[in-house]
Structures are given as C-alpha cells and as structure tokens.
Amino acid sequence: MIKEIGYRLFSIFYKIFTVFPQDPESVFLIATHDKSAEGNIGIVANKLAREMPEYKCTWLTRDNSYKNPIDYFLKKPYKLARSKYIFLDNAFLPLSYFKVRRGTKVVQLWHGTGAIKKFGQDYNTGKLGELERRANENITHLIVDSESVAVEYAGAFGVDDDKVMRIGLPRTDYVLDKDIMNKLKAQFYEAYGELRQRKIVLYAPTFRDSEVDNPKINMDLQRISDLLGEEGVLLLRLHPFVAKNMPDEVKDNLPDNVYDMSLYPSVTGLLSVADILITDYSSIIYEYVLLERPIIFYAYDLEEFSSNGRSFYRDYETFVPGPIARNQDELEDNLKVCDNSKSKEFVQREIEHLDGKSTDRLFDLIFS
C-alpha cells in the first residue's frame, strides 16, 4: 500500500511537470537492476558521454528512494517529464500510473540477455502483474538479442511484435570486446594476484525468493575444495540479497580455496577469469557462452523450481549448453571432465548479433 501511494505521488508530479517543454537532448536512465558501467544502461551512458556529450543524462537507481522525498518526488519526476528518451533495465512501476508524453521514446533494455526461466507477464500475477502490464504500455522499443527470444520477450512484457527490435544488446558487445575483457582480467588479478596461475571455477546460482530470509549454499563446499586441491579455487557469486543475509558462521568458515565474490564490483570481471562456470537457471550463460568455456548446470532442485510457477520457456534439459548435474556426486563428476561441446551450437542458435555493433545499431535506431 505504501509503495502504491509512492507510485501515485510520483505520477502526479510527473503530470504537473509536463507543462514544461520537452528537452530533445535530455535522457533519463532507470537502472534499478544494474547501475554499473557494464550493464546495458551504463554502456549507453558511457557512449553518450563519449560521442554525444550535448545529451544530458539523469539517473534513477535503487539508491534513489522515498527517504529523500525532494529528490525522488520532485527532481526525478521533473527530469523524467522533460526527457525525450527513457532507458530502462527493469520494470519501473510508477509508470503504471501515467502515460509518458507524446513523442517520448521508452527503451526497455532489460538486464538479462536471453530467456530461460519465465518472467514478467509470463510469471507475475495479481497486483504486481497488473502494475507491470500498465507500466509496459509505455514501452516504444523493446530491445532483444535475437529472433530466437523475440516471441518470449513480447509476451513477458505484453507488447506487440512491432515494438520488439532484434538488433542485439550492448552487454553482448561488452563481453565480445577483447580489450575490455583483458582489462577486467588485469583488474581482478591486481586484487587477487595469488590466483593468477590457478584454475578458477565460478559458482553463480540464480536468485530464489525462498532464500532471501533463509540463505544457504546448496553445495558441499569442502568436497569441492578437496576436489580442486591446491591448483584450483572456487569463487562464489551469490545474489546480493542472499549474500547479505548469509550467516556469519558460513562466511567465516569457507575452505581456504573458496572465495566469496558476491560483492565483487564486476560480474563480467569474474566471467573473464573463470575457466568453468557453474550455474543453474541464470541468463548469465548468454554472456559466458560467448567465451567458449565449459558450463555445468547444477540443477539440484529442477522439479521444485519447475513446479513453483516459474517454469521455463524451453525444455530445460535439451536447451542448456552443457551437462546437467542433479546432485553433488554428478557435479563433481562433471568437474573432472569438462564438456564444452554444446556451446558453439547454442551461440549459433540463440545469439544472432556477434559483430560487436549492437550498441551502434541501438543509437542509430533511437537517436537518428
């Protein structure tokens, strides 16, 4: 109820501020999922700063909240009302209470690259689903990486196909840029030089609502530690909400070759150094697969995850580009013999734009 009041208040001030003329060089960036330089929004902002400095950007992130009412309810709606361009990486629910002014381009970049598990209108129901549906009516451009996910994204956002632009995402360009990846790798080893010559395994599970208040690592870390030995290390990348509530007795008693990287500032930096990725249902695979390295899918709760309403867009067991481990023993067996045979076929089937020019196409589409 309190959040809804906030959404309505935001919308009221937006409507008031539309009495001011729209600024054709004003850009509003809503990055409530990833405000980093490597997120889709961050990449757009950096390109604007480099190549189109006359365009002025205003950011709205999770750091902006009701706790600073002057900023959130006055300054931000004022800037939004005057912006010709709006970029988002998530659903912004205040948009469900108003229509943006005519001529505004609302560009949904999302924060994932592909589509494995269902999301948006295909998952959320009730009040949240209704608010998302109304907010998404403002979208003018929904950017996707390829034709293979266009239908799923149109359904998840509830938009017509003619609003779905199959031009590729900035994130893909970022991972494909060898100079960027080498820079991120150098930054990692500058901080963790002792890992330079060691085999690095990254465990990055997807977010589960049930683990926010009851966080746990569903893996026997000591057994993985023993398997990797002195030559290998395991990096943990848990969701920030889960990592924040992880009991101290777990965080303080990790094996020597297990590192908690949940708060490391660059997810892509971790991907750049990882020799093997262990994940489950996360769209992170759409980025890591571009590096042509092995992925193991540790789907210990596949039936439960599939039956709780989340489900998948494709048949999980035939879709993912790597072996599936259903328990600890299978996970360890797959770590001993890494299989990368499905990666190339997955990239050819699921990722259409590999030329590193998706960001350029986005700017041509939106700003020309």
Side-chain angles (χ1 to χ4, degrees), residues 142 144-147 150-151 161-162 164-168 352-353:
L142 173 59
V144 300
D145 219 28
S146 68
E147 181 66 41
V151 172
D161 182 74
D162 61 358
V164 183
M165 309 296 163
R166 295 97 156 145
I167 61 173
E352 185 174 339
H353 299 288

Side-chain angles (χ1 to χ4, degrees), residues 82-279:
R82 299 203 62 196
S83 293
K84 172 75 172 178
Y85 309 95
I86 303 171
F87 290 85
L88 311 93
D89 74 348
N90 210 345
F92 185 58
L93 297 185
L95 282 172
S96 61
Y97 288 97
F98 63 91
K99 301 294 184 187
V100 297
R101 63 198 304 171
R102 184 176 301 177
T104 305
K105 294 184 179 181
V106 181
V107 185
Q108 176 59 262
L109 295 172
W110 201 231
H111 52 265
T113 305
I116 299 180
K117 56 184 183 290
K118 292 185 177 181
F119 68 102
Q121 294 295 284
D122 292 332
Y123 175 65
N124 294 318
T125 58
K127 188 66 175 181
L128 175 59
E130 175 61 18
L131 291 177
E132 278 192 354
R133 183 193 64 77
R134 294 192 338 227
N136 292 343
E137 290 177 351
N138 285 293
I139 294 173
T140 60
H141 299 76
L142 173 59
I143 312 301
V144 300
D145 219 28
S146 68
E147 181 66 41
S148 66
V149 297
V151 172
E152 286 89 347
Y153 269 65
F157 288 94
V159 302
D160 294 335
D161 182 74
D162 61 358
K163 293 182 179 179
V164 183
M165 309 296 163
R166 295 97 156 145
I167 61 173
L169 287 163
R171 281 284 298 153
T172 304
D173 292 350
Y174 196 82
V175 178
L176 288 170
D177 191 316
K178 292 183 178 180
D179 290 338
I180 289 176
M181 296 302 282
N182 287 334
K183 180 180 179 180
L184 293 174
K185 184 182 293 187
Q187 290 173 346
F188 177 86
Y189 285 125
E190 184 177 348
Y192 297 95
E194 72 275 14
L195 305 185
R196 191 177 295 275
Q197 301 300 325
R198 301 173 74 175
K199 179 180 180 180
I200 295 179
V201 179
L202 173 64
Y203 179 41
T206 197
F207 174 66
R208 293 166 171 81
D209 294 332
S210 61
E211 293 184 0
V212 174
D213 297 323
N214 184 30
K216 52 188 174 182
I217 301 173
N218 291 278
M219 179 186 293
D220 190 325
L221 297 180
Q222 188 58 58
R223 284 177 58 177
I224 298 296
S225 171
D226 294 340
L227 177 64
L228 294 175
E230 295 183 359
E231 295 181 356
V233 295
L234 176 68
L235 308 184
L236 301 176
R237 181 69 184 199
L238 308 177
H239 190 279
F241 293 163
V242 176
K244 180 176 65 174
N245 294 326
M246 187 64 66
D248 290 337
E249 58 265 25
V250 175
K251 294 186 290 187
D252 296 339
N253 292 285
L254 296 175
D256 290 341
N257 60 347
V258 177
Y259 289 67
D260 183 6
M261 294 289 178
S262 301
L263 300 181
Y264 187 77
S266 171
V267 177
T268 314
L270 298 179
L271 296 182
S272 74
V273 300
D275 298 295
I276 302 171
L277 172 67
I278 301 174
T279 187

Side-chain angles (χ1 to χ4, degrees), residues 19-37:
V19 300
F20 294 96
Q22 194 172 52
D23 182 351
E25 294 178 347
S26 181
V27 182
F28 200 89
L29 306 173
I30 303 176
T32 55
H33 187 275
D34 184 1
K35 64 178 181 179
S36 71

